[in-house]
Amino acid sequence: EAQVTQNPRYLITVTGKKLTVTCSQNMNHEYMSWYRQDPGLGLRQIYYSMNVEVTDKGDVPEGYKVSRKEKRNFPLILESPSPNQTSLYFCASSSAWRGGYGYTFGSGTRLTVV
Amino acid sequence: QQPVQSPQAVILREGEDAVINCSSSKALYSVHWYRQKHGEAPVFLMILLKGGEQKGHDKISASFNEKKQQSSLYLTASQLSYSGTYFCGTERRAGNMLTFGGGTRLMVKP
């Protein structure tokens, strides 16, 4: 089944404790992105990647890191999480071919930083 | 720059029609439409590329006016299953980041 898999689904952590949210897709997609979703603010892009070793900042990159060493994986790293990073996070992937297909989203990771 | 969606919310009775608009101040390469149900991930509905095309499947269709940088999503004869929040997303060029509008909350009542 074609899908984007995020882990974990839920995470509660303490301020300053480094964490990684994993994202993997099995569709051989070139493009991958991370979004955060907060009430009243919609979906805001954190980082995106056009292909392996090619990443760029989105609208809200502060406090986050990403890497794209393999085509299928795009982990999101919070080096020193803070309470304002409490949010619902989505990973998404897309083919570079725009012939009718958009982004496929993962199921989301709900992160709480206390 | 974030596209602007309108209206922010709409309530319909089953069978009624709705239009959701999305506009950008910048030239666009593509417009995407997604639907998100409560507690779930957004689901892709359709994509429109510059060229002013119109697309649709079933009773949901969309248009893209390249000159005005505006897109509209049309939902006809709405069903209960259409309820959710609709987002448009815009790309300014191929491979560029996809920026989402603030969303339109649609509620269909029996």
Side-chain angles (χ1 to χ4, degrees):
Chain A
E1 180 189 353
Q3 60 185 357
V4 176
T5 302
Q6 283 180 240
N7 280 298
R9 288 293 307 277
Y10 301 91
L11 179 60
I12 301 175
T13 190
V14 296
T15 299
K17 185 177 181 181
K18 181 179 179 180
L19 67 91
T20 299
V21 184
T22 63
C23 175
S24 180
Q25 50 95 4
N26 62 359
M27 295 167 280
N28 200 36
H29 284 167
E30 291 81 5
Y31 301 163
M32 296 187 76
S33 288
W34 276 103
Y35 291 88
R36 62 177 288 175
Q37 187 172 35
D38 303 287
L41 296 177
L43 289 153
R44 294 181 293 168
Q45 192 165 53
I46 304 170
Y47 271 94
Y48 66 105
S49 170
M50 292 177 63
N51 216 321
V52 176
E53 302 290 3
V54 181
T55 62
D56 209 344
K57 296 178 181 179
D59 292 320
V60 289
E62 295 78 21
Y64 304 95
K65 282 177 58 177
V66 293
S67 67
R68 186 96 181 269
K69 293 183 171 52
E70 305 167 283
K71 198 172 186 179
R72 63 184 293 124
N73 296 322
F74 192 43
L76 179 69
I77 303 160
L78 285 74
E79 294 270 1
S80 182
S82 62
N84 65 11
Q85 292 179 297
T86 292
S87 187
L88 177 59
Y89 291 86
F90 287 105
C91 178
S93 73
S94 169
S95 168
W97 182 58
R98 278 283 175 263
Y101 299 95
Y103 279 82
T104 300
F105 281 77
S107 299
T109 295
R110 188 167 292 280
L111 173 66
T112 302
V113 184
V114 298
Chain B
Q1 191 164 5
Q2 188 180 35
V4 178
Q5 282 186 240
S6 62
Q8 288 188 316
V10 59
I11 300 174
L12 300 173
R13 293 285 181 189
E14 263 187 301
E16 293 181 338
D17 302 340
V19 179
I20 300 171
N21 300 303
C22 175
S23 64
S24 173
S25 60
K26 305 289 186 182
L28 299 175
Y29 168 73
S30 73
V31 179
H32 299 220
W33 285 98
Y34 295 79
R35 177 170 61 208
Q36 184 180 30
K37 294 188 178 286
H38 184 68
E40 300 180 7
V43 173
F44 171 72
L45 293 176
M46 63 188 75
I47 182 174
L48 301 103
L49 302 177
K50 67 176 183 179
E53 61 182 67
Q54 182 154 354
K55 278 194 172 180
H57 61 85
D58 200 10
K59 297 185 176 69
I60 300 176
S61 62
S63 64
F64 177 28
N65 186 321
E66 186 183 346
K67 289 183 180 178
K68 293 184 178 181
Q69 305 307 322
Q70 291 177 350
S71 179
S72 295
L73 184 72
Y74 307 94
L75 301 102
T76 59
S78 59
Q79 306 166 14
L80 294 176
S81 62
Y82 286 5
S83 292
T85 300
Y86 289 79
F87 292 97
C88 70
T90 57
E91 289 177 305
R92 294 186 58 195
R93 61 178 184 275
N96 196 212
M97 56 185 276
L98 184 67
T99 302
F100 284 94
T104 296
R105 184 174 291 183
L106 180 79
M107 183 183 297
V108 181
K109 294 186 172 182

